[in-house]
Amino acid sequence: MHKSIDTFLNKNICGDCLEVMRTMPDESVDLIVTSPPYNLKNSTGNGMKDGRGGKWANAALINGYANYGDCMPADEYAKWQRDCLTEMFRLLKNDGAIFYNHKWRVQAGLLQDRQDIVSGFPIRQIIIWRRKGGINFNAGYFLPTYEVIYMITKPDFKLAKGANSYGDVWEFTQEMKNPHPAPFPIAMIDRIIQSTNAKIVLDPFMGSGTTAIAALQNDRYFIGIEKSQEYVEMANRRIAENDRQSQMKW
Ligand SMILES: C[S@@+](CC[C@H](N)C(=O)[O-])C[C@H]1O[C@@H](n2cnc3c(N)ncnc32)[C@H](O)[C@@H]1O
């Protein structure tokens, strides 16, 4: 039995995203913006395992997440992410879209382009997020500077007027001051939300609350799900602080 979508609006729920999404009704959200854990600790490269962080610009991720290991066997991880995407797709209205951020990497000489996760879902476009800066201590690799955003859409999805002129390579500097190990830049989520006519925006891996902040500052509703209580509290503090600052502007 699904609960009414109204009971989820502007709430950041602490829990497992699959379990929580299963309590939400079909075709009830307009937009999903999310970045799952990348399974980075399951690495054959030396970037994460030996602690030098050379392959990853955001060295804070070496320490991992607060309450999540990020180290599943590859096939188990792909199945989990497919289950999450299946549930997200069920929740999406017929004119909705999922912006699913992930990272390609080479592992044991093979490109992991995440086809094992996204194949079969209606991907309309791939956006390249070009990150700026970063430090590379590893002389064996060029500094990695991009991630991908899969735009997975239901049939009637349309961009907001004029948004198509942004093109498909977006340059946004990663967040430097956020204590979460893998936050979105707020400006990038602002762009995604402003590129749609969505009213209700879900992020099932809410982390430090970036999607909620961007939704609220664009007068949309957010729904957040996050497994770690520590990050839920971090997000709630950021949301409240952002709200306080925006009220001071009036
Ligand atoms: C890449 S981070 C998201 C960061 C977020 N975009 C931000 O701006 O802060 C992924 C998040 O998923 C959370 N997570 C891991 N497993 C989860 C699950 N089963 N359900 C919900 N959240 C989960 C982690 O704790 C982590 O905060």
Side-chain angles (χ1 to χ4, degrees):
M1 178 69 184
H2 298 138
K3 298 181 194 163
S4 156
I5 197 66
D6 293 349
T7 61
F8 296 90
L9 297 182
N10 287 350
K11 297 217 172 94
N12 193 17
I13 299 153
C14 188
D16 172 71
C17 64
L18 263 181
E19 283 176 21
V20 177
M21 285 193 287
R22 283 178 180 142
T23 68
M24 296 168 67
D26 295 355
E27 299 185 20
S28 56
V29 304
D30 304 290
L31 176 65
I32 299 175
V33 184
T34 202
S35 178
Y38 292 165
N39 213 26
L40 282 179
K41 291 279 183 174
N42 177 358
S43 171
T44 56
N46 57 18
M48 293 300 274
K49 275 197 172 158
D50 72 3
R52 282 182 290 162
K55 283 169 75 182
W56 282 271
N58 189 346
L61 256 185
I62 288 168
N63 302 322
Y65 297 109
N67 296 299
Y68 178 73
D70 206 19
C71 186
M72 286 184 187
D75 50 354
E76 197 179 305
Y77 173 74
K79 183 188 177 308
W80 175 50
Q81 282 303 302
R82 287 182 69 78
D83 289 349
C84 291
L85 275 178
T86 302
E87 209 48 34
M88 290 181 220
F89 204 69
R90 178 185 69 77
L91 298 181
L92 213 55
K93 292 183 190 164
N94 211 35
D95 57 357
I98 304 172
F99 285 70
Y100 179 75
N101 169 220
H102 219 302
K103 194 174 182 125
W104 291 352
R105 66 177 180 174
V106 175
Q107 195 172 33
L110 291 174
L111 174 65
Q112 279 195 4
D113 59 3
R114 310 297 174 172
Q115 266 302 102
D116 51 351
I117 297 172
V118 295
S119 72
F121 290 96
I123 301 168
R124 193 178 287 185
Q125 193 165 26
I126 292 171
I127 296 160
I128 301 294
W129 166 22
R130 192 198 192 298
R131 302 153 58 112
K132 282 191 194 152
I135 305 165
N136 190 0
F137 299 109
N138 194 325
Y141 297 88
F142 292 104
L143 178 69
T145 56
Y146 77 93
E147 299 196 12
V148 293
I149 301 171
Y150 295 91
M151 190 172 89
I152 299 168
T153 57
K154 287 253 173 121
D156 294 343
F157 175 73
K158 292 229 168 27
L159 291 171
K161 197 161 176 266
N164 53 4
S165 63
Y166 286 128
D168 58 2
V169 179
W170 297 357
E171 198 158 336
F172 286 100
T173 308
Q174 52 270 38
E175 291 285 321
M176 300 298 183
K177 293 190 182 141
N178 188 326
H180 189 283
F184 281 141
I186 298 179
M188 188 169 81
I189 311 310
D190 264 341
R191 173 176 294 179
I192 292 174
I193 291 174
Q194 287 165 10
S195 296
T196 75
N197 300 308
K199 292 192 182 67
I200 300 178
V201 186
L202 166 69
D203 187 341
F205 297 99
M206 182 58 100
S208 63
T210 314
T211 303
I213 290 169
L216 290 174
Q217 61 196 23
N218 288 289
D219 292 326
R220 323 287 172 104
Y221 293 106
F222 77 86
I223 300 171
I225 309 169
E226 165 58 50
K227 196 174 184 173
S228 155
Q229 179 66 34
E230 187 179 326
Y231 295 151
V232 169
E233 285 165 18
M234 184 189 286
N236 290 346
R237 279 195 303 273
R238 277 184 85 213
I239 293 165
E241 174 61 17
N242 212 65
D243 191 42
R244 200 181 60 79
Q245 284 179 7
S246 62
Q247 280 175 15
M248 278 164 55
K249 287 187 198 140
W250 293 100

